[in-house]
């Protein structure tokens, strides 16, 4: 069990499984798997006329997205374990592998046939799902998109002679996520949190059972353009560029 909570009960409830949390023996990728990372930096400083200096620094960070699992939106009712959704989905290979039922949203009824068309298109477009049709999804088998972010720092020094000693007045300009300032579609960071289930994407909704009391019904309520991840658009560590101006005086 990954250390994702301060309480044992939450550790147990947060585990993604197929056969139930009390029978979990599979080897799977950790919630904290970092994937790949590339970092690089460049800095150039030029002093001139013994009056000042200019410096430019660039820092690049490229890293794999966070891992996530495809689960059912079932309120814990599919396996009757508890209220937290953590049951890994079965990936249907054809429409006969899943019982989809019509649903109505905003006055519009979406048929089972339309849902299967959207679901099949989504499965075929996902590299992991498309290669594992007819199987249960694994834990943390997917990742949000790769993130590439460039930060920029500009420094301007002004030398001040005080009784033969050189003091320095420095003005700094930092641009965090400079990539997003260049292009609004660059420098994006992502998170996966579907329905409050962190690092989980609720692919299918559980719609109760058929008259036999054992066969489950489902719906696919995402539409053909749904993505399991969202753009992180808040806070300092976000997809938005931010700028900081600083002033420092150094005594010698």
């Amino acid at each position: 069990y990954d250390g994702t909570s301060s309480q044992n009960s939450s550790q147990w409830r947060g585990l993604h499984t197929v056969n139930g949390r009390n029978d979990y023996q599979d080897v799977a990728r950790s919630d904290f798997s970092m994937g790949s990372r590339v970092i690089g930096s460049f800095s150039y400083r030029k002093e001139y006329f013994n009056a000042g200096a200019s410096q430019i620094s660039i820092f690049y960070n490229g890293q794999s997205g966070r891992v996530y699992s495809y689960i059912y939106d079932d309120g814990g009712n599919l396996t009757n374990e508890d209220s937290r959704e953590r049951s890994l989905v079965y990936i249907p290979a054809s429409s006969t592998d899943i019982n989809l039922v019509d649903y109505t949203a905003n006055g519009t009824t979406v048929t089972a046939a339309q849902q299967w068309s959207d679901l099949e298109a989504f499965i075929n477009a996902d590299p992991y799902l498309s290669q594992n049709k007819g199987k249960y999804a694994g834990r943390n088998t997917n990742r949000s998109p790769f993130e590439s972010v460039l930060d920029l720092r500009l420094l301007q020094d002004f030398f001040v002679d005080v009784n033969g000693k050189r003091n320095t007045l420095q003005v700094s300009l930092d641009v965090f996520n400079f990539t997003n300032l260049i292009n609004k579609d660059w420098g994006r960071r992502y998170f996966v949190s579907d329905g409050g289930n962190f690092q989980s994407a609720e692919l299918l909704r559980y719609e109760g059972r058929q008259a036999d009391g054992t066969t489950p019904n489902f719906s696919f309520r995402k539409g053909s353009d749904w993505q399991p991840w969202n753009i992180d658009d808040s806070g300092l560590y976000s997809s938005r560029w931010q700028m900081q101006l600083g002033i420092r005086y150094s005594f010698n």
Side-chain angles (χ1 to χ4, degrees), residues 129-143:
L129 296 180
S130 62
Q131 295 176 16
N132 289 275
K133 295 178 182 179
K135 303 176 183 178
Y136 279 94
R139 177 171 176 255
N140 291 334
T141 52
N142 284 65
R143 288 186 181 275

Side-chain angles (χ1 to χ4, degrees), residues 68 70 91 121-133 141-143 227:
Y68 64 90
Y70 283 111
I91 308 167
F122 179 81
I123 291 175
N124 290 335
D126 185 286
Y128 175 79
L129 296 180
S130 62
Q131 295 176 16
N132 289 275
K133 295 178 182 179
T141 52
N142 284 65
R143 288 186 181 275
Q227 293 293 346

Side-chain angles (χ1 to χ4, degrees), residues 97-117:
D97 278 356
I98 185 173
N99 296 312
L100 293 170
V101 294
D102 298 354
Y103 73 88
T104 301
N106 300 320
T108 301
T109 298
V110 182
T111 65
Q114 180 60 53
Q115 294 174 58
W116 171 248
S117 177

